[in-house]
Amino acid sequence: MPFGVSASDDTKPANDFLLADVPDPTDFLPAAEAPGLRSIDGAFRCTICGELFDGPVTLPCGHCFCSGCIRPAMSHKQECPICRKVANEGHLRPNPIVEEIINGWKDARPYILSLVKQEARRKVADQPEVHASPAKKRKRSQERSSSELGSVPGLPHTPIKPRSFKKMSHSPSKPNPVKYPSDGGAGPSRIPTSDGDEEDLPSTLGLNPKSDDLVKCPLCEKRVRYKNLNGHMDRSCKDPVPVSSSSQWSKIMAPKGNARGKQKKKSSETDEDFPLPKASYATLKDKQLKEMLQEHDLPITGDRPQWEQRHQRWVMMYNANLDRSLANRKTKNELRRDVKKWEEEMSRKKKPVVEDLVKYQQTHKPEFDRLLKLAKSTRDKSALEPNAAPSSSDDNHKPVSTDASLVGPPSSMTGVDDVIDLNSDKE
Amino acid sequence: MSTNCRRRLIRDFKRLSGDPPGGISGSPCPDNIMLWNAVIFGPGDTPFEDGTFKLMLTFDESYPNKPPTVKFLSRMFHPNVYANGELCLDILQNRWSPTYDVAAILTSIQSLLHDPNPNSPANAEAAQLYRENMKEYVRRVKLTVEESWLDPEEKAALGEEQGSA
């Protein structure tokens, strides 16, 4: 909800990027209203990218990151980004349990969000006027602060509580809209597809076949011994075949229209699970580096530094992909696309430059005024909390000098006078 | 177009506005998410108390693997802030970690106002006064506090007056 408040404070339509679908722990209500949900969602996220863990890996210190996030981070600094304990890529261990939890959470998240929303609506309907419950305290204080700002057009027409939930409805209706768009989910290939097969299977089983009976495989319709059926299906119907038909199989297995892949398939089939070694580019000649790129069907456009970056990124992303479970893995072509996209992003890498700072402040004055009020409201709030220093003044524009022992009132007063004099001179 | 960096900045904004640290606010420019404005209230019980210091943060696509550039727009008198507003803060340089977000950066800067480090001075005069003449240091800081309440035009005029004086 607090995000809702601030987003609505920005009444400027240009803030399109804030409407982008970026799920975040703040989609859930604070702990006081929905205990645990926000922290669970936060704990399931990589502290580098903020997404739900993708190919989670654990460091010796126990901290967990997306493999694709920690590898680039380690190319800058060989340490854990959280606790700074020394670590390198060799220390990374995939964490399949966390990955499984994330797979479940991706399904559960939108469901829980909708339940929470329902529950909140029910509560509002049941007791529309209850304000005194301590659980509402935080929310109410934020309500108050936002209404204090006075600059929230577009908001007031909505009643207090439902508004926050309306904001939350930005949350995705689908669990993982960003990742693996082409991944059709785990193991769909084993699910019987034709109705005929589905009818066959139960009838065969109904007869209680003996282990040596031949039964029809529901997938490939081949006759298989019943005792071998499970193994046969686990191998996706690829039983060991006589040598004569091996060429046929390799045709099926080989990627379409990729002669190179076809030739290499046999050797790389077994290499598939092994990470690529890192290269020490300083010792490589241009020709060798080009060959290394071509070996992975990567382009050799650009100059030498670009080749190195491209190859380095490829190795990192390739190895990170291996830290995903088989079902979540991307294809090499998807990885190539990712590397291309990354290169495009990096080529745009340029920090915005602001030349005239005074003019900048003038043109952005409304924003700074808004930020000022926001900062003031949070400061006042923390000052009201019992553990905060009670010395904060009520009125910001007449600062109370709490350093009276250090600086006498006269000197601070002259300071103020100076400023005022200069001001009036100007006018 | 939403790159990893942009998605991360949107999250930074959600976190900063969803769970704001006391006396700190910040948001991206409406037309450019790579450029942020921020305001830090001078922490209580310091000479900076009640100052409303404006900052600007600039990001590029290498964020969060590389830190943003952070700059005070308000004039500062602080041992670790250069005359042009840039900061000498370890976490924005060699101690950067990609797990830091905008809220963490701004909180660190707020605490830097609390505890200057005169051993790595960016403003030699401020560092010297901080070590040797606390009274004068406080007076100079308070001038900047009062200046921070002015509008940019007023400040510009003030700067000219001081320059000519």
Side-chain angles (χ1 to χ4, degrees):
Chain A
M1 110 122 216
F3 171 54
V5 168
S6 333
S8 335
D9 287 349
D10 291 337
T11 46
K12 301 132 193 162
N15 273 8
D16 285 346
F17 48 77
L18 291 178
L19 300 175
D21 185 18
V22 181
D24 172 82
T26 56
D27 295 339
F28 294 98
L29 293 170
E33 285 148 86
L37 289 179
R38 206 182 255 199
S39 61
I40 284 181
D41 195 57
F44 287 166
R45 287 175 186 279
C46 169
T47 41
I48 297 178
C49 65
E51 310 278 354
L52 295 174
F53 286 117
D54 171 16
V57 289
T58 311
L59 299 185
C61 56
H63 289 121
C64 196
F65 304 91
C66 303
S67 187
C69 291
I70 187 67
R71 287 174 190 271
M74 281 180 158
S75 72
H76 292 290
K77 244 192 229 177
Q78 301 214 323
E79 62 178 26
C80 168
I82 294 177
C83 66
R84 297 194 188 276
K85 282 219 177 90
V86 176
N88 60 49
E89 283 192 59
H91 290 129
L92 303 179
R93 293 288 173 268
N95 197 331
I97 304 297
V98 169
E99 192 174 18
E100 222 168 288
I101 293 173
I102 297 302
N103 282 342
W105 182 242
K106 280 177 182 168
D107 291 340
R109 195 178 190 276
Y111 178 60
I112 293 177
L113 273 172
S114 73
L115 286 185
V116 170
K117 227 185 295 175
Q118 275 175 23
E119 172 70 2
R121 272 201 217 102
R122 190 187 61 76
K123 266 190 193 163
V124 171
D126 282 0
Q127 27 179 218
E129 289 305 322
V130 173
H131 283 295
S133 113
K136 296 278 189 291
K137 192 176 166 192
R138 179 195 171 122
K139 198 168 155 192
R140 275 176 49 228
S141 61
Q142 271 158 352
E143 284 303 335
R144 190 196 53 216
S145 64
S146 69
S147 58
E148 271 170 10
L149 301 181
S151 61
V152 282
L155 265 192
H157 62 281
T158 26
I160 284 170
K161 275 168 220 160
R163 185 184 75 203
S164 63
F165 304 121
K166 237 176 213 167
K167 285 293 156 196
M168 287 184 32
S169 68
H170 286 306
S171 53
S173 55
K174 282 188 179 158
N176 49 350
V178 259
K179 286 174 190 168
Y180 324 127
S182 63
D183 187 0
S189 59
R190 281 185 213 164
I191 297 164
T193 45
S194 87
D195 288 347
D197 288 343
E198 278 171 31
E199 281 159 22
D200 268 4
L201 186 59
S203 65
T204 328
L205 291 177
L207 296 172
N208 273 338
K210 292 193 190 89
S211 65
D212 273 339
D213 285 354
L214 281 172
V215 294
K216 208 192 218 175
C217 165
L219 295 183
C220 64
E221 303 200 316
K222 253 191 200 157
R223 294 246 159 211
V224 188
R225 293 202 188 282
Y226 183 63
K227 65 175 178 189
N228 296 338
L229 182 59
N230 277 337
H232 166 82
M233 286 166 67
D234 283 344
R235 287 187 293 271
S236 308
C237 308
K238 287 162 209 149
D239 285 336
V241 283
V243 187
S244 61
S245 62
S246 72
S247 62
Q248 211 179 346
W249 275 112
S250 67
K251 238 180 236 166
I252 296 165
M253 296 293 297
K256 296 157 219 158
N258 188 341
R260 190 196 303 267
K262 218 185 271 179
Q263 287 164 4
K264 289 201 166 176
K265 203 67 212 177
K266 264 213 167 119
S267 61
S268 66
E269 188 100 305
T270 46
D271 296 342
E272 208 83 315
D273 274 347
F274 289 100
L276 297 175
K278 289 214 251 178
S280 54
Y281 298 104
T283 65
L284 289 173
K285 294 200 172 91
D286 284 2
K287 197 182 158 213
Q288 291 171 297
L289 186 51
K290 276 186 185 175
E291 280 170 6
M292 286 163 65
L293 287 168
Q294 283 167 328
E295 190 187 336
H296 298 287
D297 289 328
L298 294 168
I300 47 169
T301 51
D303 53 10
R304 166 98 193 189
Q306 277 175 293
W307 300 341
E308 290 182 8
Q309 282 178 8
R310 187 176 297 149
H311 187 266
Q312 193 189 23
R313 182 78 185 177
W314 170 258
V315 171
M316 279 194 285
M317 292 303 109
Y318 184 96
N319 293 345
N321 195 38
L322 296 180
D323 291 328
R324 297 185 175 112
S325 67
L326 280 172
N328 284 341
R329 263 182 217 170
K330 296 188 179 187
T331 65
K332 284 191 187 174
N333 266 334
E334 285 174 294
L335 291 180
R336 278 184 203 105
R337 271 197 294 274
D338 287 353
V339 170
K340 180 167 176 271
K341 191 174 155 237
W342 172 82
E343 272 188 18
E344 286 164 1
E345 282 166 22
M346 287 303 139
S347 70
R348 283 196 304 268
K349 186 173 102 180
K350 215 172 185 189
K351 286 184 180 172
V353 181
V354 176
E355 300 283 352
D356 187 341
L357 292 178
V358 174
K359 198 177 161 216
Y360 177 85
Q361 287 182 72
Q362 283 164 354
T363 51
H364 289 82
K365 191 172 179 302
E367 278 173 77
F368 278 116
D369 286 348
R370 186 180 57 81
L371 288 172
L372 219 147
K373 284 177 191 154
L374 260 174
K376 183 180 183 303
S377 70
T378 58
R379 187 195 66 150
D380 292 349
K381 209 163 55 192
S382 60
L384 288 176
E385 279 164 19
N387 52 353
S391 61
S392 272
S393 58
D394 293 325
D395 184 352
N396 269 323
H397 300 284
K398 285 183 186 166
V400 178
S401 173
T402 47
D403 300 294
S405 58
L406 291 171
V407 58
S411 70
S412 92
M413 283 312 292
T414 37
V416 173
D417 287 343
D418 283 346
V419 173
I420 291 167
D421 281 350
L422 288 167
N423 256 342
S424 52
D425 278 358
K426 184 195 78 179
E427 286 163 22
Chain B
M1 174 185 60
S2 94
T3 62
N4 293 344
C5 162
R6 282 155 202 268
R7 290 176 67 83
R8 166 67 193 263
L9 284 170
I10 292 170
R11 289 203 167 87
D12 279 18
F13 178 62
K14 284 187 171 192
R15 170 151 179 242
L16 185 60
S17 44
D19 193 11
I24 286 175
S25 64
S27 75
C29 278
D31 53 346
N32 187 356
I33 196 172
M34 309 301 258
L35 182 59
W36 284 51
N37 299 317
V39 168
I40 295 181
F41 258 81
D45 299 326
T46 74
F48 295 93
E49 181 167 17
D50 292 317
T52 54
F53 303 109
K54 298 183 187 118
L55 298 104
M56 186 177 78
L57 296 88
T58 44
F59 299 83
D60 68 27
E61 294 285 348
S62 60
Y63 180 79
N65 276 315
K66 297 268 182 65
T69 306
V70 185
K71 198 171 179 172
F72 273 106
L73 296 173
S74 308
R75 194 173 69 86
M76 297 300 287
F77 188 75
H78 185 285
N80 307 110
V81 182
Y82 291 96
N84 64 1
E86 278 166 27
L87 287 103
C88 180
L89 181 57
D90 57 354
I91 66 141
L92 291 177
Q93 284 135 27
N94 51 356
R95 293 283 285 172
W96 172 253
S97 156
T99 60
Y100 293 150
D101 66 355
V102 176
I105 294 169
L106 294 176
T107 311
S108 289
I109 295 174
Q110 194 185 36
S111 79
L112 185 70
L113 297 184
H114 215 285
D115 296 308
N117 176 6
N119 295 322
S120 61
N123 179 338
E125 191 189 9
Q128 195 196 353
L129 288 179
Y130 181 76
R131 275 195 305 254
E132 295 165 12
N133 188 348
M134 186 50 86
K135 191 176 167 186
E136 176 65 6
Y137 171 76
V138 170
R139 192 187 74 82
R140 294 285 296 274
V141 170
K142 294 228 173 239
L143 285 178
T144 64
V145 167
E146 281 144 15
E147 203 181 299
S148 74
W149 302 328
L150 303 177
D151 281 341
E153 312 93 62
E154 296 174 305
K155 224 180 289 180
L158 182 69
E160 278 161 29
E161 298 272 352
Q162 280 182 341
S164 60

